[in-house]
Amino acid sequence: MMRIGLVGAALLVLSACVGGPRAPAGFEPRIANPSAIISAEIAFARLAQEKGQWTAFRETAAKDAVMFDPEPNLAQAWLKGRADPPAAVKWQAHKAFMSCDGKTGATTGAWQRPNGTFGYFTTIWQFIQKNERGDGEWKWVVDHGDALSTPRVPKEMIETKVASCKGRAPALLTAPAEGAQMKSGFSRDQSLSYTWVVQPDGSRTVEVKLWNGQMSETVILDQVAASK
């Protein structure tokens, strides 16, 4: 089940990452600023209220974005021609994580439907650069969530964390169990990584890791049970 609305005012926290690993050839570094993906999430949620739920998803998704139903689907194909519901779900980001290079991030938080049900979401964001000047926009590449029996309660401020710029995180991969579908993604400096795994019964796991200078630590771990 996907989160599907509007974020209230958020305190935007600027976090700079100085020094760190050498960027790949032709790579334009950015200052890691978690407020950028918080702003993208707020704009996404507002768009859902103003123009319609699935319209907002279509307009903010990357070309190869994935969402779950519960099987993984290419979002643009799944959303094509899908009518917006009468009322969009509302959502609010509670935490934001960003790679050292400032081009990949993750947000997680809570959603509420008009019928009174609620749950959580996690979204992976990627900065899509359009030209050599570094202009571009944030697009989501993975979106998922699930219902909860107890709503997530936000803290007074949105929590933010930026990956360490010390050393270089390894790009470790583990093969999934037979029959499972899996995909891993990395920021270009490898300081933020994400993996989703969907089992044959439809259950799935979404994990986000952030490099702390010595190891990659899990900062988001979502586990969705199989549909009954």
Side-chain angles (χ1 to χ4, degrees):
M1 185 181 299
M2 294 163 289
R3 60 80 191 247
I4 307 174
L6 180 63
V7 183
L11 179 62
L12 304 184
V13 181
L14 300 180
S15 299
C17 200
V18 181
R22 183 170 55 192
F27 175 71
E28 184 66 29
R30 297 173 57 83
I31 295 175
N33 177 9
S35 69
I37 54 173
I38 295 172
S39 295
E41 190 73 71
I42 291 172
F44 179 18
R46 184 179 296 119
L47 187 64
Q49 299 299 311
E50 295 174 351
K51 297 183 67 175
Q53 179 174 298
W54 299 130
T55 297
F57 272 71
R58 279 191 296 269
E59 293 188 8
T60 55
K63 292 181 180 179
D64 58 351
V66 173
M67 57 200 311
F68 305 88
D69 188 33
E71 294 296 314
N73 295 278
L74 286 175
Q76 293 292 6
W78 191 87
L79 293 165
K80 186 176 181 180
R82 193 170 291 269
D84 294 315
V89 174
K90 297 183 178 182
W91 69 84
Q92 310 83 32
H94 293 176
K95 298 179 181 181
F97 303 95
M98 183 167 277
S99 59
C100 167
D101 64 21
K103 287 197 170 186
T104 305
T107 51
T108 191
W111 57 256
Q112 307 85 33
R113 285 179 172 167
N115 65 5
T117 58
F118 43 79
Y120 72 90
F121 71 90
T122 293
T123 305
I124 309 297
W125 293 91
Q126 184 73 45
F127 184 78
I128 309 299
Q129 189 166 313
K130 293 183 176 180
N131 54 46
E132 295 180 356
R133 297 193 305 272
D135 299 328
E137 60 184 340
W138 288 94
K139 295 285 190 178
W140 63 266
V141 295
V142 177
D143 186 274
H144 104 113
D146 196 18
L148 293 171
S149 57
T150 301
R152 284 187 176 181
V153 179
K155 295 185 179 180
E156 292 185 3
M157 295 187 297
I158 296 175
E159 297 180 36
T160 64
K161 190 172 185 179
V162 175
S164 172
C165 296
K166 297 179 180 179
R168 186 170 178 81
L172 301 177
L173 291 174
T174 302
E178 185 174 357
Q181 300 181 70
M182 170 183 163
K183 183 175 181 179
S184 292
F186 301 84
S187 60
R188 293 193 64 181
D189 65 355
Q190 300 176 188
S191 64
L192 184 148
S193 64
Y194 61 90
T195 301
W196 58 257
V197 180
V198 178
Q199 302 294 341
D201 63 1
S203 61
R204 69 178 177 273
T205 301
V206 175
E207 184 175 17
V208 178
K209 291 186 176 183
L210 210 62
W211 177 246
N212 65 13
Q214 296 181 321
M215 61 179 291
S216 292
E217 59 181 350
T218 298
V219 292
I220 298 175
L221 180 60
D222 298 335
Q223 296 176 311
V224 178
S227 301
K228 296 181 180 180

